[in-house]
Amino acid sequence: MTAPSTRPSVSEKEAREVAEAAREQDWRKPSFAKELFLGRFRLDLIHPHPEPAPEDVERGEAFLAKLRDFCETRIDGARIERDAQIPDETVRGLKEIGALGMKIDRKYGGLGLTQVYYNKSLALIGTASPAVGALLSAHQSIGVPQPLKIFGTEEQKETFLPRCARTDISAFLLTEPDVGSDPARLATTAVPDGDGPDADYLLDGVKLWTTNGVVADLLVVMARVPKSEGHKGGITAFVVEAGAEGVTVENRNRFMGLRGIENGVTRFHRVRVPAAHRIGPEGAGLKIALTTLNTGRLSLPALCVGAGKWCLKIARGWGGAREQWGRPVARHEAVGSKISFIAGTTFALEAVLDLSSQMADEDRNDIRIEAALAKLYGSEMASLMADELVQIRGGRGYETADSLAARGEKAVPAEQMVRDLRINRIFEGSTEIMHLLIAREAVDAHLKVAGDLIDPQKNLSEKARAGARAGGFYARWLPKLVAGRGQVPRTYGEFHPPGHRDLSTHLRFVERSARRLARSTFYGMSRWQGRMETKQGFLGRVVDIGAELFAMSAACVRAEMLRTAAGRGGHGKEAYELADVFCRQARIRVEELFGRLWTNTDDLDGRVVRRVLDDAYTWLEDGIVDPSGDGPWIAAAEPGPAQTPNVHRPIR
């Protein structure tokens, strides 16, 4: 007889309410991307491009030099790929040079690098080994250091941050076998063991896909505290010692890429956690997780930028060396267009990353949407670039690096790059979830003034008040979407200096498109009202348009920054060329996305899916064999003692 599941039963409405409660509700600082979705092109928020302080540059460049030497002499990426494990001596070396503490304040023994130089470091080390990049990113971007930096007490920082900076690897544990981006159904519990606010908690549950979990010394764990007398309850964050009694790593997971990643399944059985190890108050766990990810998400586009740079290097070398029909393959238009795409897109991704990172360092803008767009856009475009590189390389792109070396050719791991990058479209919020998350922020202003108007749960008097608010807001807002600076010739003229490509035309396009996007969003809300949240195809395209417009803006601003720094080796003219080609490519994508807002197969797709799930088309599956093994789609993960050996492997 199967034991009853301990997983909470949650309705769709309750799940939305939990997610909504975890959002940051207020906008206390300006946001370029938020304004963009509202049809307001606030170029002044990003131009002139913010620049780091000289002392931050000096410290960051010094570490980059040390890290480059380490990558070239002490990281064997081919060995990590072959053995599917990062050697212990490599991890110990990272600890020795301080790489575990790149983002940790020097007060606690870290290097105190800025977000800009932390990302540059990840881009560098990710090209040596994406698995090592993932280890360092998970440790510092979402592991113990980041949530403690924002929400931890001084005592917690003094206790844990020196360990994280020098010796201890950390991991972040939220996902469960049946819980991904819907945390309302979280089943792991932390039950107070005793009375009073200082009582210990007993932790029970199972966590899946625990990046770094196999080798971690410290864990950030999200668990549900039951509501009781003296306890508010709710999803709560805890720092847990990975070696504590009752913690078992049950499996080291294996994947199509990132073969060296130490990712596992972790079980907690009556694990005692002191109240002093709780991060923030009870019930604040999801808010802590989402706030941590606001800047933590920038680590993934950093790895994507590094990948783009490597793709360009290989495409340039191969495109010039390989000849077909009497000339290098890069000189053939079919191949050359792919190389142009890689070059322009890499420039734009670095522009988006550096701009978002510098704004994070300065802390004068709210970058929650910018960071999410960087993650979404970076992960999608990097995968496209790697795929194009494989196509450029032909059969050699599909061949493994070991096989190439065995027959005497340059061991280029292009196929590995495709496999390693693929996870970034799923890590830290899949593309589909990122679309919804960003869309929710993009329509926040509308929901604040008109949300009650389209909410079927609200009564007539509430709707009437909402109607009055909405009328005032839209009477002021809508007329501003009719005309703007993008329709005035020669606006943004500083982006068309003599002897350079004309980027001002692209900024005018961004301004016009931002207003068009805002109008389209308003039309969508007017048309579907309360059903707007179900129109995920429409919302996804709205977000993708915004991502392209943000990338175009960042590329132009970066090109101008490099032009003014030309005396310091800024490559201004070349930057203008790359920004121009990227913007021209992006404009084609934007126009296509605008067309697909209203001309698409979304409704038809929904009907077909319902028929698929009703088994109407099972005859189409005839004539195959299914090599999948037996077992349930989702493994049971009931709490209780471990039944398998502990494969936890801390690295000392």
Side-chain angles (χ1 to χ4, degrees), residues 160-223:
F160 296 115
L161 291 185
R163 291 171 56 183
C164 292
R166 303 186 189 108
T167 59
D168 289 14
I169 297 171
S170 69
F172 173 78
L173 281 62
L174 170 62
T175 304
E176 297 177 1
D178 197 23
V179 177
S181 298
D182 180 15
R185 300 173 60 248
L186 202 73
T188 298
T189 60
V191 180
D193 184 34
D195 299 324
D198 297 327
D200 291 350
Y201 296 84
L202 292 180
L203 194 62
D204 285 274
V206 179
K207 296 293 186 179
L208 177 63
W209 297 325
T210 59
T211 300
N212 288 358
V214 178
V215 298
D217 305 285
L218 290 170
L219 313 170
V220 175
V221 182
M222 297 293 163

Side-chain angles (χ1 to χ4, degrees), residues 260-487:
I261 193 173
E262 298 289 352
N263 180 295
V265 178
T266 303
R267 177 178 292 273
F268 302 95
H269 177 58
R270 296 185 65 78
V271 177
R272 186 168 295 278
V273 182
H277 288 196
R278 187 187 68 225
I279 308 174
E282 289 181 357
L286 287 184
K287 186 177 290 289
I288 289 171
L290 291 176
T291 305
T292 296
L293 284 171
N294 279 346
T295 54
R297 283 197 176 97
L298 290 174
S299 63
L300 287 186
L303 295 167
C304 292
V305 167
K309 288 173 177 284
W310 181 82
C311 287
L312 180 60
K313 182 179 187 299
I314 299 302
R316 174 176 57 81
W318 172 251
R322 173 63 164 163
E323 290 192 1
Q324 288 275 37
W325 311 111
R327 53 179 170 165
V329 292
R331 300 292 183 183
H332 292 278
E333 187 175 276
V335 174
S337 64
K338 298 179 187 300
I339 297 176
S340 174
F341 166 73
I342 293 173
T345 304
T346 297
F347 178 83
L349 288 191
E350 187 169 37
V352 166
L353 177 68
D354 278 8
L355 177 61
S356 301
S357 300
Q358 187 58 44
M359 288 195 293
D361 286 330
E362 294 185 353
D363 198 27
R364 60 183 171 91
N365 286 4
D366 188 321
I367 66 155
R368 74 183 86 162
I369 299 182
E370 286 84 347
L373 288 173
K375 188 274 177 188
L376 168 69
Y377 196 71
S379 60
E380 290 290 327
M381 300 305 273
S383 288
L384 285 175
M385 288 191 288
D387 187 71
E388 293 286 43
L389 177 64
V390 167
Q391 192 70 19
I392 291 168
R393 289 271 292 161
R396 288 172 174 83
Y398 194 68
E399 191 173 1
T400 68
D402 278 351
S403 178
L404 290 163
R407 56 185 187 79
E409 289 195 2
K410 188 177 181 67
V412 178
E415 60 83 28
Q416 180 190 337
M417 181 63 74
V418 171
R419 291 187 286 103
D420 289 340
L421 284 172
R422 185 60 183 83
I423 187 58
N424 290 335
R425 296 169 61 195
I426 301 170
F427 259 165
E428 297 179 17
S430 68
T431 290
E432 293 72 25
I433 291 298
M434 296 306 296
H435 276 151
L436 298 182
L437 183 152
I438 297 167
R440 173 61 186 84
E441 300 296 350
V443 301
D444 184 57
H446 299 284
L447 293 179
K448 282 183 177 177
V449 298
D452 289 353
L453 196 61
I454 62 177
D455 188 342
Q457 305 297 321
K458 300 299 181 180
N459 59 41
L460 287 176
S461 63
E462 290 172 317
K463 287 180 179 291
R465 287 194 295 272
R469 287 196 307 270
F473 173 79
Y474 290 119
R476 296 188 302 272
W477 179 68
L478 285 171
K480 296 178 181 178
L481 301 183
V482 176
R485 297 186 68 199
Q487 293 166 295

Side-chain angles (χ1 to χ4, degrees), residues 6 57 83 123 137 170 228 253 278 281 295 308 399 460 544 611:
T6 59
V57 174
D83 297 345
S137 169
S170 69
S228 62
N253 302 322
R278 187 187 68 225
T295 54
E399 191 173 1
L460 287 176
D544 286 340
R611 295 287 283 158

